[in-house]
Each structure stands twice: as C-alpha cells, then as structure tokens.
Amino acid sequence: MAKLQQLADLVGGEIKGNAELDIFHVAAIDQAGQGDITFVANRKYLAKLDFCQASAVILAPGIDAPGNNLIICENPYLAFAKILTFLQVPERPVKGIMPGAWVADSAVIDKTATIYPGCVVGERVSIGAGSTIYPGVVIYDDVTIGQDCLLHAQSIVREGCRLGDRVILQPAVVIGSDGFGFAPDGDGYYKIPQVGIVVLEDDVEIGSNSCVDRAALGETRIRRGTKLDNLIQIGHNVEIGEDCILVAQGGIAGSTKIGNHCTFGGQMAIAGHLKVGDNVMIGARGGASGNVAANQVLSGVPLMPHKEWLRATMTVPKLPEMRKDMQKMKKRLEELETLLKEN
C-alpha cells in the first residue's frame, strides 16, 4: 500500500485530487476498482474512464478527467511500470546456498546471493550480491555473474561466459552453447572448436528458450540494456548494441554486428557477416541479406522501406485479377498484331 502522493513522487508526477488516498494495486482500466490505480497511455481509451471504478488514474499532461484522482506525468506507461514494480513485485528473499544445491568449493558466492536446490555451480564461478539462481540452473566452470541477476529455472550458462549486473535469464535460456561451425571434410564435416565466450552486459534480459552461441574465437556480446524475447537464436561472434529490442522467433547469423537502439519484429532474420546501423527498425518477418544503413524503418524480404512494403502488400490480393487482365491484354495485343500484318 502507498499514498497517492508517494506514488507521484516515485514517478515525478503531479497530483490532481486527494494526495492522501491509499492505493493497493495497479489494475487494467476495465478491471480496476476501489483502492486500485490505472493508467491511460493512448487517447483512444479515454472513453473507458467514464465507466472506470479505479481510485486514481495516471494520465499525460493536457488530458483532463474530471471527477478522478490523477497523477499527471509525461510518460504514463513508464509510470505504470514503476508503480506496478513498487506495489506488487516482492523483494526476493536472501536464502544463501540452500540444501540440495551443488556448489564447487572454489566458487565465490556473495553472502546475499540465493542458490536454490537443484542448481549446479562449477569451479571458480563468481556470483555477485543479490543475485538469485532458481532450481535446475547449471553454471559451468569459470563463469562470472554480476549483482542482482536473476537466473530462472533450467537456464544454463556455459564455461567462461560473463554476465553483468541485473541480467535476467528467463526459463530454459542457454548462454554459451557451441556456435554452428563445421569445416567441410570430404563428404562430411569437421567440427570447429568454439573456444570463445558470451558476454551479456548490464541490464540485458533474455527470453525463455532463447540461445546465445559462444564465439568460435573471441566474444559474442550483447550490450547494455538490450532485451531479447522468447525463442531467439543469436549466432557465434554476433555483436548487438545497446538498448535493442528483438521480438520472438527471430535469428541473427554468425559474425553480424547490430547497432544501438534497433528494434526487430517477430520472426525476423539477419544473415551472417553483416552490419546493421543504429536506430534501425525491421518489421515482423523482415529479412536482411545485406548491410543495412542507420536510421531506417524497413519491412519485407528483401527489405524495403516500410511504406513501400505496405503498398506492395496491398497489391498482393489483387494479383489474380491483375493476372487475368494481363492475359486479356496479351490476347488483345496478339489480335491487333495479326490485323496489322494482314493489312
């Protein structure tokens, strides 16, 4: 529970209404009741406030909602996230190394870290203050994990990899699996040892069942603040810049370098050994087969400017009719050519 004024101070907002109001939960606009706070980040939902039972609402400047207790702030969506964290995300308990966890004698575990039963922590591993390692996690030898990290059940971090502070691995993530490297050998293939590592910088989050392959030599690196959704494959020696967003079921092939603040939609694909500049947005199912310059919004395969892609996709349903028209035109043209020859 918190007073409305306390929540406003948390998000740097301005109060309109009863600052001493008690708030217990954050709720969706059509489900909120007394004691709840909700938010409107998109003006198209403002009409729902007429029927909303929430005790308070988070709104952007310039929007009025008479009769409601308000927190006015520049970014209601961000304010919602911060208030939700404050009110409803419990602090993780510090339990130390719990019975049933296997931890190598040479591992260095901060006294405020928590290692749940069923975990395996290898030789010379370092785990920082406040980090939590949930059941079934396997951490190979020589791994470094920073402060306040969260490794969910069944995630794996292989040998030598490094995680910064506040890194989150959702369930069944694999960090440092072998890169896909094989040298042709007659009719078969010889496995190329993958002796590099993966580095995840501070505030990186990796979604469930995603894989980040270790480098053949050197590093695969995901830079500060980047977020990967579920079911994403990152190939060996890839570099991804800061504050990027990669949506589910995408893949980036080996040795490609991605700039800062890029956003890639679901099922995107980026070929290997490419460079993608800063501030690039690629729509769902978009595919890059060549280098991509910075500051573009693109879609499709092959990639094209998003507005052109929209026009192209609008044409697709008309193709059968256009084909019939072209066949008629071709037939008519042949008839005209025949008449010209006869004359």
Coordinates of all heavy atoms in Angstrom, one line a residue, residues 109 162-163:
I109 N 30.7 -17.1 -3.8 CA 29.3 -16.7 -3.8 C 29.1 -15.6 -2.8 O 29.4 -15.8 -1.6 CB 28.3 -17.9 -3.5 CG1 28.7 -19.1 -4.3 CG2 26.9 -17.5 -3.7 CD1 28.6 -19.0 -5.8
R162 N 30.3 -14.4 -19.3 CA 30.3 -13.3 -18.3 C 28.9 -12.6 -18.4 O 28.5 -12.2 -19.4 CB 31.4 -12.4 -18.5 CG 32.8 -13.0 -18.5 CD 33.9 -12.0 -18.2 NE 33.9 -10.9 -19.1 CZ 34.7 -10.9 -20.2 NH1 35.4 -11.9 -20.5 NH2 34.6 -9.8 -21.0
L163 N 28.3 -12.5 -17.2 CA 27.0 -11.7 -17.1 C 27.3 -10.5 -16.2 O 27.9 -10.6 -15.2 CB 25.9 -12.6 -16.5 CG 25.2 -13.6 -17.4 CD1 26.1 -14.6 -18.0 CD2 24.1 -14.3 -16.6

